Amino acid sequence: MDLQTTIYIVVGLSFALYIGIAIWARAGSTSEFYVAGGGVHPVTNGMATAADWMSAASFISMAGLIANMGYGGGLFLMGWTGGYVLLAMLLAPYLRKFGKFTVPQFIGDRFYSKSASTVAVVCLLVASLTYIIGQMTGVGVAFSRFLGVSSEMGIYIGMAIVFAYAVFGGMKGITYTQVAQYVVLILAYTVPAIFISLQLTGNPIPQLGLGGDYKGTDMTLLAKLDQVVTDLGFGQYTTSVPGSKLNMFMYTLSLMIGTAGLPHVIMRFFTVPKVKDARSSAGWALVFIAILYTTAPAVAAMAKLNLHSTVNAEVKGGGDIFAPEAALVYEQRPDWMKRWETTGLLKFEDKNGDGRIQYYNDKTKNADVLAKAEAAGWKGNELTVNPDIMVMANPEIALLPNWVIALVAAGGLAAALSTAAGLLMAISSAVSHDLIKGVFNPSISEKNELLAGKIAMAIAIVVAGWLGLNPPGFAAGTVALAFGIAASSLFPAIMMGIFSKKMNREGAIAGMLAGLFVTLFYVFAHKGLFFIKGTGYVDLIGGPNSFFGITPEAFGAVGAGVNFIVAFIVDKLTKEPPAHIQDMVESVRVPRGAGSAHAH
C-alpha cells in the first residue's frame, strides 16, 4: 500500500473515532456542556488534560525549536512544564474548591464585581484567540503536507471536524475525544522516536539514546552533533543560548506563569467530582505530559543529525564535509524533500549553480568555516528549513515504514485539534456563561444558555478559522505571545484572588488592564503596528528589544510584574473588600476540618 493511501486510512479512522465519541457523549445540559457533568475520573481527566495541554506547539513545534536553538530551546520545556506544576500545586485545587465553571466567574465572584468578570472575559478572549491562531495554522500545515490539499483547505476541514465534536459534545464530548487524541498523539510521537533511537544509538529508549553513543563511533550522540554543527558554522548545540541570560529567564518565567493562567487548562479541573480528584488528575496529567516532554530533546537532536546526514554524506562518514562530492545533488534529493517543498516549508536556492545543496551557517563569525566554504566554491546557504517540519518529517528522513509516517500525520492533527477544542470551549463559556448569563441576562433559562454556548462556539470556530487563514502580521510566535498575555493579565488576578484576602475589586481590575495594556503595547510596537498618517510606522520604544534586551515573547513576565504593582497600589488607595468576601477567601484556602491545635 502506498504512503498516501496509508495516511488517508489512518487519519480517516482517527477522525471517525473522534466524531463517534462526540455523538456518544453529546451534552444534554449546561453542566455536561461546560464541565462534563463534573463526574470525570481523575485518570481520564489527566489524560484529557495532557491532550488539551500538548498543542500543535508541543507536538509539531517544540522539538523543532529545540533542534533550531539547541540548549537554549530548553526554555520551552522548563517554562511549559514548570507552569503546569505551578498550576497543579497553587491554583487548580483552590479553584476547584471554589466551585465555579470558569476563570471569569471566579474573578467576578471573588472580586464581587461584574466589571471584573467582564475584564477577565476580554483578557481570556485575547489570549485564547491569539493562541488558537497557532493551532489552526498547525492544522493547515499538517493537512497540506499529508492530505495533499492546500493549507487553506486543511483549515476548513479542521474547522468542520472541531465543529462536529465540540459544538454537539461540549466539554463532555471534548473530554472523551481528547482521551482518544492523547493516545493517538503519544503513540505518534514515541513510536518514531524509538525507531530512530535504535537506528542512531542502538538504544530503544530515546531519553537514554540521547546520552548514548553514536552508532559506529566512540563518540556520544550529542558530541557528534556538536562536532557537525560547529564544523558547519552553527553554534555548539549543547551550550547555545539565544539572546541574553536575562531574556532566557524572563522568557521561561513568562511561559511558566502564562501556562498557569491559561483558562482552557484551568477549566479541566472543574470536570472532576471532588477537590482531591483535582489534585490527583493534575498528577496523572503530569505523568502523561512527561512522556512527550522527556522525549522531545531526543527527537530534536536526532532529527537535526539526520537532516545534516541527508544533505551532507560526510556527516555520517566523518570525511571532509566541504568536499564537492559531499553535498547532495538536488536532482537526487529524496522523496521526502520533494513532498515538503510543495508546502513551502522547505526551500532550495542554487546560489553557486553547481546543482548541489550546500547547507551551513553563512552568517557565522567563524572565519575558518567561511574560508573553507569559499575555497569549496560555496556562495551561501542554499537550504531553508522551517523548524515546524522537524517532527513531522523526521520519520520520512529516517526512511521509516509508511504506517509510522501516517501515524505522525494523525498525531499532529490530534494535537492541534485537541487544544483548539479546549480553547473554543473556554471562549464559548466566557461568552455564554460569563457575559450573557453573568452580566446581561441572569434569568436566562438553561436551555437558552446551552443554545447560546453552542452558537458562541460556532462563531468562535469561524473567527478562529479566519485568523488561521489570515494570520495577523505578528503571527510568528503567536503561541508564546498568548502565554505572555495570559501571564500579564489573568495569572496575577487568580493568584491574588486566592492568596490575598485584602485584594479588592478596584486593584484587580486596574492590575489586569495595566498588565494587558503594557504587554500588548510592547508587542505591537515591536511589530511596527503603530501607524500615524503622514509619518508612517513610528518606533515608540527605541528599537527592537529595547527594554533590557527582552523580546516581545518574553515580555509577559514584565507585564505580570506591572499587574501586581498596579493592583497593590490601587488596593492601598481604595477600601478593602467586604468581610464576607475575606471570609470566603479564607475558607477556600483552609482545608476542611482544619483548626488550631489544643492541649488537653
Side-chain angles (χ1 to χ4, degrees), residues 119-161:
V119 170
V121 169
V122 171
C123 296
L124 181 151
L125 291 176
V126 173
S128 297
L129 286 171
T130 306
Y131 196 3
I132 215 166
I133 297 169
Q135 307 312 311
M136 299 311 286
T137 305
V139 169
V141 168
F143 269 117
S144 65
R145 161 60 193 88
F146 290 110
L147 297 188
V149 298
S150 68
S151 61
E152 289 82 6
M153 180 55 68
I155 289 172
Y156 288 130
I157 296 169
M159 287 166 65
I161 298 292

Side-chain angles (χ1 to χ4, degrees), residues 53-63 80 131 189 292-293 296 391:
W53 177 260
M54 292 185 290
S55 63
S58 288
F59 187 97
I60 298 173
S61 298
M62 185 169 63
W80 284 332
Y131 196 3
Y189 206 83
L292 189 146
Y293 271 50
V391 170

Side-chain angles (χ1 to χ4, degrees), residues 290-340:
I291 296 171
L292 189 146
Y293 271 50
T294 57
T295 308
V299 170
M302 293 172 188
K304 193 172 185 78
L305 193 53
N306 270 336
L307 177 65
H308 281 294
S309 301
T310 300
V311 177
N312 193 303
E314 292 306 327
V315 164
K316 207 170 263 185
D320 180 12
I321 55 177
F322 292 97
E325 65 277 7
L328 177 70
V329 176
Y330 178 69
E331 292 303 325
Q332 296 173 7
R333 69 197 186 282
D335 289 341
W336 74 264
M337 291 185 81
K338 296 173 185 174
R339 290 192 288 260
W340 279 102

Side-chain angles (χ1 to χ4, degrees), residues 13-22 161 165 177 180-181 184 410 414 417:
L13 286 172
S14 69
F15 282 176
L17 176 64
Y18 306 153
I19 293 170
I21 290 170
I161 298 292
Y165 70 76
T177 303
Q181 287 168 330
V184 171
L417 293 173

Side-chain angles (χ1 to χ4, degrees), residues 238-259:
T238 54
T239 58
S240 296
V241 176
S244 66
K245 288 181 179 176
L246 172 64
N247 185 65
M248 188 171 178
F249 172 78
M250 297 301 282
Y251 206 142
T252 306
L253 182 60
S254 181
L255 290 174
M256 234 177 116
I257 61 177
T259 291

